[in-house]
Amino acid sequence: MRSKLFLPLVAAICSFFAISANAQSYAITNARIVTVSGATIEKGTVVIRNGLIDAVGANITAPADAQVFDATGLTVYPGFFDTLTNLGLGAAPAAPAGGGGRGGGPVAAAPASAAPQPTSNSNYPAGLRPEEVTSDDLRAGEAQFEANRNAGFTTVLSVGRTGIFNGQSAVINLAGENVSDMVIKSPFAEHISFVTLGSGGYPQSLLGTFAALRQMLYDAQRLQEWEKAYAANPKGMKRPEADKSLEALFPIVSGKMPVVFNANTEREIIRAIDLIKEFRLNGIIAGGQEAWKVADRLKANNVAVLLSLNFPKRTTASSPDADPEPLETLRTRAETPKGAGKLAAAGVKFAFESGGATAIGDFFTNAGKAVEAGLSKDAAVRAMTLGAAEILGVDNRLGSIEAGKIANLALVKGDLFGRDKFVPQIIIDGKVFEQKEPVRPPAGGRGQGGGGQTPAGPSLSGSYTINIDVPGSPLSSTLNFTQSGSGLTGTMVSSATGSAAIRDGKVTGNSFSFTTTVVFGGANLDITVSGSVSGNTITGTVDSAAGAVPFSGTKNP
Amino acid sequence: MKKITVYFALLFLLLSSLRLPVAAQSKNSVLIKNATVMTAVKGTLESTDILVENGKITKIGKGLAAPAGANVIDATGKYVTPGIIDCHSHSMLDAINEGAFSVTSMTRTRDMLNPTDITIYRALAGGVTSANLLHGSANSIGGQNTTVKFKWGHPVEDYPIADAPPGIKFAMGENVRQTTQAPQPGRPLRYPRTRQGTIQTMRDAFVRARDYKQSWDDFKAGKTKVQPRTDLELQPLVEVLEGKRLVHCHGYRSDEHLNLMLLADEFGFKIATLQHGLEAYKIAPEIAKRGTGVSIFTDSWGYKLEAYDAIPYNAYILWKNGVNVSINSDSDERMRRLNLDAAKVEKYGGVPEQDALQMITLNPAKQLGIDKRTGSIEIGKDGDLVVWSDHPFSVFSRVETTLIEGEVYFDRKKDGQLRLDMAKERETLEKLDVNKAPATGGGPPRIPATTRQAERDDAEYGDGGHR
């Protein structure tokens, strides 16, 4: 529904053109080229032919048949990877079991019954069917990937998100009208979530989840041996059961196919590592919010991490009578951005994934936060290009700008990790997609929750009753506003602080700010109040030397 | 300004979210000086020192010299007991019941250990050093137990006691029958629905386990070609039949517990403990004859129909009959006050002090098969020790220090400092941008949580795994 409404809009601002096969090549000139596999070329050319990178270098001349794009001022990166998504699958996007995590809201234990289950004649219930393959369920058509391409992504790992066995994932390019055009590698890995079956059947608890996983892995090991023995000499031997669910586990128990465990907390990750050791699996962790706490174990067991960039953030102000947030939540928000740097320092292989983030742009800005928190920029770029390709086993064809590799490129204007990053061109399998830069709202208009963009809002004059969320002792107060033009005067009144006159009052659109001095706890306290009015609702922040606290309230009739 | 007082008022709440890092110190040697030592086996020793070296008690006596670098704890005027052992706990488990089947012997509480659970630290503050972490009582045969030491701050693999014999939870009565629970819409009723069905479910499982064992024996003897399945459900029951796995069976009515022991007689093994057993006094001689232990509450009853026929003299009568009795908590909260539950046994019937102390130390150690290493203060045993401010059976007594294998895991003085450190840390963290609420959220204020942590601690009986 939403995507249907979105498409005409996308079509209006985007266009793409294909380089006609064989006849023509495409050359990006005067670009800064971050090859990732080698040194960065400050000014050079990339030549693309037949969907592959034909040449790259500082002293390359564009071929005579080339359509030339002057990329002065732009940086060319290998196309970016998002190493865990459900792109291309029919189900509505949902937060993965491995996403969010502590501090970002409850970890969703997505029940297996959330999505309609295709009919299956497996011996196992929905959620315990490792034979299900993502590439069987992919939707054809590249329009569905528009938003992800525009953000800079060319390649993703895609898999369903429900059940204990999520199914076998696929590495796909975000272009191509047919599924066969999209798929780079399928299957890549079996994905496992530590969840229960919402159906009411076994397992109903995490205790059973681990027991059920173990039993299936043991049964698969046995069936594999049995089938081998039977193939060698069937005479006098009971025929092995043709169990497609167990057979799907053969490449896993023999270590040929990786197993991705969705695990965010330290103990979930340790449980996954314990299973990896117990069954000698080729294991990978996805999510990995607390992976840095067990970096030594990950390193020792050669377990790579698909690290979520969906960092936990505080989304709402608490209500006045809510308990203070748990210290662990506060810590997790502060520590999570440092995780990537710590994994890098410990020598753990990792690649970034979006972790079910609703705002796709957070991927790059949060990678920037990881850089601020200690990860080198090069390592951050690697974790979304060549490092990702290595973990997904496609580094011989993707992940860097080298002659002979698939022509997946992202042209970036501005700082890759900055808010103003823009991707004017993305190239996938040699196909060029263009995006026109949107007109930006005037400076100062952003960050006001939409309120600031409304021109000439109604006068803020009036009386408002607000609750100020001072931890442990919420305060009720009344704001009496008189607006004249962009000026604001009036009083702030409460039983605890008395009446105080507003100073330096300003109004911009629906937003306001002022300072005042109140008597609080027997002492004068200078406070700065800022906020906005939307309809009858007023929200904002009271800032002082004692810290910032949110407030909210309503206009008095 | 006022903020600091607010923080102090909230300290208790803060604790619930915290993993207190207790600095690891040298395990090499600890000398507890001049204590009143309640050994739990050889009476109470006045003005006595205890030396713990490399985790083991090496000397008990007067005027012991401190080895170089030893951590010396002055316990003048204080009491020392062995670490308390809780023989029925569901602490630090992320999941307690797998209720989908009537037999879930394939599940392992070991998989569910959460070493960040604050109840561990609180248990240490009540002098508890070891616990029997059991599956819940939702089914006739539940999951495998884990016998742990509460090594707070250590990685999860340090918790299980490596040489403790494995065990398993069984259950009988109302929780298993599910007849007191409203049926869930769309969920079929689960067999068994009666007490006779419960014992039959157990018998059936053991018959299947016996057949399973036979199938492996036949395969090993070359009688069959295809290797049998590794059956995670039946394997632990084979271990029960072979006497290698301890059965801890939840139950209330004496007729049911007697039936269980007769079933064990039939299959040739011994029940390790009858858990709860509020009516065990009625069959004390039968229990004593088989060498089965009983693990009870001292005076908690009446919370469901099958828990009515209870008396506070249960422990005394069992003890008088020579039964090994332990007193357990089955509760994260009551676990911290097991010393007072032991004191009650002195009051009701007059069990001697040392025998009462044994009911929370040596007796549960024997029931769990860990009495060679813990449960009493004797040379050669683990340095699992509790320093009390007063006689541990006094309501005024508080735990000052709790040690496991000579390492301090709870120290009341350090605890005070940790609280201040946490308040400071919170102040710093709350100032970070990432922890500030967005100024213009737009949405309505959040509806407050209906239950707060402090209330939740008391509301644990809603969980089918308890009692």
Side-chain angles (χ1 to χ4, degrees):
Chain A
M1 184 72 173
R2 200 179 59 169
S3 61
K4 275 183 191 160
L5 291 172
F6 186 52
L7 282 180
L9 181 71
V10 165
I13 59 164
C14 299
S15 63
F16 65 81
F17 53 93
I19 307 156
S20 52
N22 306 323
Q24 209 184 20
S25 61
Y26 189 71
I28 302 161
T29 58
N30 299 319
R32 180 169 171 264
I33 303 166
V34 178
T35 65
V36 180
S37 55
T40 294
I41 299 160
E42 285 309 323
K43 191 175 176 186
T45 300
V46 185
V47 180
I48 298 165
R49 193 185 290 277
N50 297 333
L52 301 176
I53 296 168
D54 197 47
V56 56
N59 303 313
I60 304 279
T61 329
D65 67 343
Q67 181 184 341
V68 175
F69 177 77
D70 183 354
T72 302
L74 302 181
T75 305
V76 187
Y77 291 94
F80 296 111
F81 282 68
D82 180 345
T83 61
L84 190 61
T85 71
N86 55 4
L87 285 177
L89 289 170
R102 240 178 6 200
V107 177
S113 58
Q117 294 298 324
T119 53
S120 167
N121 57 8
S122 166
N123 294 340
Y124 292 86
L128 280 174
R129 293 175 187 155
E131 70 274 19
E132 288 175 355
V133 179
T134 296
S135 58
D136 289 346
D137 298 332
L138 286 174
R139 266 179 295 155
E142 64 190 11
Q144 58 185 322
F145 305 129
E146 191 76 57
N148 304 79
R149 279 196 303 263
N150 287 346
F153 295 106
T154 60
T155 312
V156 301
L157 183 68
S158 197
V159 70
R161 293 274 165 75
T162 56
I164 295 169
F165 288 114
N166 301 166
Q168 297 170 22
S169 56
V171 183
I172 60 171
N173 260 351
L174 298 182
E177 282 308 323
N178 303 315
V179 170
S180 50
D181 295 337
M182 299 173 189
V183 172
I184 301 275
K185 183 178 191 177
S186 173
F188 163 63
E190 182 67 52
H191 291 239
I192 291 177
S193 296
F194 297 140
V195 296
T196 58
L197 298 188
S199 54
Y202 173 80
Q204 269 177 18
S205 87
L206 270 190
L207 280 158
T209 301
F210 281 82
L213 277 172
R214 271 198 195 94
Q215 186 68 64
M216 282 186 80
L217 291 168
Y218 274 122
D219 287 348
Q221 283 174 342
R222 169 174 176 261
L223 185 60
Q224 193 173 23
E225 290 308 308
W226 190 358
E227 285 189 4
K228 254 187 235 164
Y230 192 77
N233 183 12
K235 281 195 181 146
M237 185 181 279
K238 188 176 183 292
R239 173 168 54 90
E241 300 138 25
D243 187 319
K244 63 180 176 183
S245 295
L246 293 182
E247 284 168 354
L249 293 173
F250 288 178
I252 289 156
V253 293
S254 55
K256 286 174 190 148
M257 186 191 283
V259 185
V260 177
F261 290 92
N262 292 315
N264 263 316
T265 63
E266 179 181 9
R267 60 187 188 276
E268 283 175 321
I269 296 167
I270 289 175
R271 285 169 193 161
I273 294 175
D274 286 350
L275 275 180
I276 288 165
K277 288 199 287 196
E278 186 178 347
F279 290 95
R280 295 184 187 175
L281 306 174
N282 177 4
I284 295 171
I285 300 295
Q289 189 173 84
E290 294 183 349
W292 59 272
K293 291 187 179 174
V294 284
D296 52 341
R297 283 184 206 231
L298 292 163
K299 172 76 179 156
N301 292 287
N302 197 25
V303 174
V305 180
L306 308 178
L307 189 63
S308 169
L309 283 173
N310 190 6
F311 292 161
K313 58 184 171 191
R314 187 164 180 184
T315 49
T316 49
S318 335
S319 76
D321 51 351
D323 288 342
E325 292 192 299
L327 191 53
E328 194 60 45
T329 302
L330 302 176
R331 275 185 190 155
T332 301
R333 290 200 199 110
E335 294 303 318
T336 303
K338 300 175 191 164
K342 289 176 184 172
L343 289 180
V348 176
K349 277 189 199 166
F350 67 96
F352 288 132
E353 57 114 340
S354 51
T358 44
I360 194 65
D362 284 357
F363 185 98
F364 295 96
T365 50
N366 281 350
K369 285 180 190 165
V371 169
E372 283 168 26
L375 182 69
S376 76
K377 271 196 177 186
D378 287 350
V381 169
R382 206 171 190 287
M384 46 181 93
T385 56
L386 191 57
E390 283 167 1
I391 294 172
L392 303 183
V394 293
D395 53 307
N396 56 0
R397 66 205 96 153
L398 284 170
S400 60
I401 305 181
E402 289 176 73
K405 281 200 169 179
I406 293 171
N408 276 11
L409 302 169
L411 275 64
V412 175
K413 182 180 169 191
D415 178 10
L416 179 62
F417 304 114
R419 288 244 162 244
D420 296 329
K421 179 206 83 170
F422 179 71
V423 183
Q425 267 193 21
I426 195 109
I427 299 168
I428 303 177
D429 272 324
K431 187 171 176 177
V432 180
F433 297 82
E434 282 194 321
Q435 182 183 199
K436 289 208 168 54
E437 195 158 12
V439 180
R440 292 192 177 277
R446 283 179 296 137
Q448 298 293 336
Q453 287 162 30
T454 313
S459 167
L460 301 191
S461 296
S463 164
Y464 302 83
T465 300
I466 61 168
N467 287 307
I468 306 171
D469 191 18
V470 179
S473 57
L475 273 178
S476 183
S477 176
T478 305
L479 297 175
N480 298 307
F481 283 169
T482 307
Q483 182 186 345
S484 66
S486 64
L488 188 68
T489 54
T491 54
M492 181 175 183
V493 186
S494 87
S495 56
T497 61
S499 178
I502 288 172
R503 295 194 306 268
D504 307 327
K506 284 192 217 52
V507 176
T508 315
N510 287 351
S511 303
F512 63 88
S513 66
F514 64 84
T515 61
T516 184
T517 305
V518 295
V519 181
F520 188 71
N524 284 337
L525 183 66
D526 291 324
I527 60 173
T528 302
V529 181
S530 59
S532 67
V533 176
S534 169
N536 281 334
T537 309
I538 185 167
T539 54
T541 311
V542 177
D543 207 352
S544 73
V549 289
F551 71 83
S552 60
T554 50
K555 187 170 184 177
N556 297 324
Chain B
M1 328 174 286
K2 256 193 170 173
K3 272 202 143 182
I4 295 300
T5 38
V6 171
Y7 283 131
F8 273 104
L10 294 171
L11 274 178
F12 181 75
L13 288 171
L14 308 190
L15 251 180
S16 66
S17 63
L18 254 203
R19 176 177 180 176
L20 292 173
V22 175
Q25 55 180 162
S26 161
K27 272 178 76 174
N28 288 341
S29 51
V30 182
L31 182 66
I32 299 175
K33 295 278 295 176
N34 204 24
T36 303
V37 178
M38 299 172 75
T39 62
V41 279
K42 289 172 186 159
T44 298
L45 312 172
E46 301 293 339
S47 308
T48 298
D49 303 346
I50 305 169
L51 181 63
V52 180
E53 290 176 297
N54 298 317
K56 298 279 183 191
I57 298 170
T58 52
K59 280 180 191 165
I60 302 168
K62 292 186 198 296
L64 298 181
N71 172 19
V72 179
I73 298 170
D74 180 9
T76 305
K78 292 168 187 172
Y79 285 72
V80 175
T81 67
I84 293 172
I85 300 167
D86 189 348
C87 197
H88 190 131
S89 170
H90 308 288
S91 296
M92 72 178 287
L93 296 179
D94 279 348
I96 296 171
N97 272 302
E98 172 53 63
F101 296 143
S102 284
V103 179
T104 58
S105 35
M106 59 289 208
T107 64
R108 305 172 185 175
T109 53
R110 170 67 183 85
D111 291 329
M112 292 295 102
L113 300 188
N114 173 8
T116 67
D117 187 345
I118 190 67
T119 59
I120 300 166
Y121 184 73
R122 291 174 180 164
L124 289 163
V128 179
T129 53
S130 298
N132 178 18
L133 304 184
L134 288 167
H135 184 278
S137 54
N139 20 25
S140 308
I141 297 182
Q144 302 165 32
N145 79 330
T146 314
T147 306
V148 299
K149 287 201 186 180
F150 283 144
K151 296 185 178 174
W152 180 242
H154 280 229
V156 64
E157 59 269 22
D158 288 1
Y159 280 73
I161 300 174
D163 54 5
I168 189 166
K169 178 74 174 286
F170 280 32
M172 318 181 89
E174 290 178 19
N175 295 8
V176 179
R177 293 188 295 144
Q178 299 186 330
T179 44
T180 57
Q181 300 166 20
Q184 300 289 310
R187 193 169 281 191
L189 295 179
R190 193 192 67 189
Y191 176 85
R193 300 284 291 173
T194 64
R195 295 179 196 269
Q196 56 190 341
T198 304
I199 196 83
Q200 177 53 29
T201 300
M202 292 177 180
R203 177 177 286 109
D204 172 73
F206 281 116
V207 170
R208 287 189 289 130
R210 210 158 53 182
D211 291 349
Y212 169 71
K213 168 85 166 42
Q214 189 61 48
S215 73
W216 272 98
D217 290 347
D218 288 349
F219 175 70
K220 283 173 188 162
K223 290 184 197 165
T224 52
K225 269 193 165 178
V226 181
Q227 180 183 305
R229 200 170 171 236
T230 298
D231 192 318
L232 299 178
E233 177 197 1
L234 298 178
Q235 192 61 47
L237 300 179
V238 171
E239 289 162 21
V240 170
L241 290 173
E242 290 173 343
K244 294 173 187 162
R245 184 174 287 275
L246 307 177
V247 174
H248 304 288
C249 186
H250 159 115
Y252 287 88
R253 276 178 31 179
S254 55
D255 54 344
E256 272 195 304
H257 267 156
L258 188 58
N259 261 340
L260 174 77
M261 291 191 293
L262 293 173
L263 180 79
D265 292 349
E266 182 185 329
F267 283 91
F269 67 91
K270 187 182 99 179
I271 302 293
T273 66
L274 303 176
Q275 295 283 335
H276 307 323
L278 299 191
E279 295 182 12
Y281 62 92
K282 296 181 182 174
I283 51 170
E286 287 80 2
I287 297 169
K289 193 177 86 184
R290 289 172 173 83
T292 289
V294 181
S295 191
I296 62 168
F297 308 129
T298 312
D299 59 355
S300 172
W301 58 69
Y303 41 82
K304 56 177 153 179
L305 201 60
E306 62 183 359
Y308 268 70
D309 211 358
I311 56 172
Y313 298 90
N314 195 15
Y316 166 75
I317 294 172
L318 290 165
W319 168 79
K320 196 78 178 163
N321 278 274
V323 176
N324 179 319
V325 185
S326 70
I327 295 164
N328 69 58
S329 76
D330 191 11
S331 154
D332 293 344
E333 186 276 323
R334 288 155 44 99
M335 178 162 53
R336 303 172 301 169
R337 297 181 279 114
L338 279 171
N339 55 316
L340 299 183
D341 277 334
K344 291 174 194 165
V345 178
E346 253 191 290
K347 175 174 172 59
Y348 296 113
V351 175
E353 181 181 278
Q354 175 159 298
D355 293 78
L357 179 63
Q358 282 182 355
M359 290 185 188
I360 53 170
T361 56
L362 188 60
N363 290 2
K366 285 177 177 165
Q367 292 176 348
L368 295 170
I370 53 173
D371 53 308
K372 281 206 173 67
R373 58 157 62 241
T374 187
S376 60
I377 302 180
E378 290 177 89
I379 289 170
K381 283 205 176 182
D382 292 350
D384 301 349
L385 302 165
V386 186
V387 182
W388 303 81
S389 63
D390 205 330
H391 192 294
F393 289 177
S394 158
V395 290
F396 298 107
S397 186
R398 296 197 308 180
V399 172
E400 305 251 311
T401 312
T402 305
L403 301 99
I404 298 175
E405 292 162 22
E407 192 175 336
V408 174
Y409 285 87
F410 174 79
D411 181 323
R412 193 164 291 278
K413 281 197 205 83
K414 196 178 280 175
D415 180 75
Q417 183 56 47
L418 287 169
R419 286 164 191 253
L420 294 175
D421 294 349
M422 277 161 50
K424 245 183 236 163
E425 187 187 359
R426 169 173 284 274
E427 205 162 1
T428 311
L429 286 171
E430 280 180 341
K431 282 182 188 147
L432 298 178
D433 281 345
V434 74
N435 283 325
K436 281 183 190 164
T440 50
R446 190 163 59 89
I447 298 163
T450 49
T451 54
R452 297 184 182 187
Q453 187 61 43
E455 291 161 1
R456 221 176 287 144
D457 284 349
D458 295 329
E460 60 194 287
Y461 299 128
D463 189 315
H466 296 248
R467 295 175 164 183

